[in-house]
Amino acid sequence: MTVTTIKVPMELRDRLKSAAAEERHTLAEHLESLLREDERRKRFARLRQQIALNPPDETYQAEAGEWKRDQW
């Protein structure tokens, strides 16, 4: 593993370290968790955009209605 230094304001560093300690994580683990959370948020935002671009058609609506009425 390569170690590097990232220059951030001391207040931000302290906040990050405090948040990591609350979760009993290292700072690296906490940053990884934050990055995964951001990537997940972006994936779902893209999914919502794709869903909005592809609204359900009549066939889907009919089938969904059957499922709701337990007629499958």
Side-chain angles (χ1 to χ4, degrees), residues 28-42:
E29 290 168 336
H30 185 61
L31 291 171
E32 177 69 27
S33 175
L34 292 172
L35 182 58
R36 278 194 313 269
E37 185 179 316
D38 185 57
E39 290 168 340
R40 182 178 188 273
R41 182 187 57 77
K42 288 176 182 175

Side-chain angles (χ1 to χ4, degrees), residues 4-6 8 12-13 15-17 19-21 23 25-39:
T4 190
T5 300
I6 301 172
V8 296
L12 176 57
R13 180 210 56 199
R15 288 173 55 208
L16 287 166
K17 286 177 76 174
E23 300 295 323
H25 290 157
T26 65
L27 185 53
E29 290 168 336
H30 185 61
L31 291 171
E32 177 69 27
S33 175
L34 292 172
L35 182 58
R36 278 194 313 269
E37 185 179 316
D38 185 57
E39 290 168 340

Side-chain angles (χ1 to χ4, degrees), residues 46-56:
R46 285 191 302 271
L47 178 59
R48 282 189 297 275
Q49 288 174 340
Q50 292 301 313
I51 289 170
L53 293 173
N54 189 20

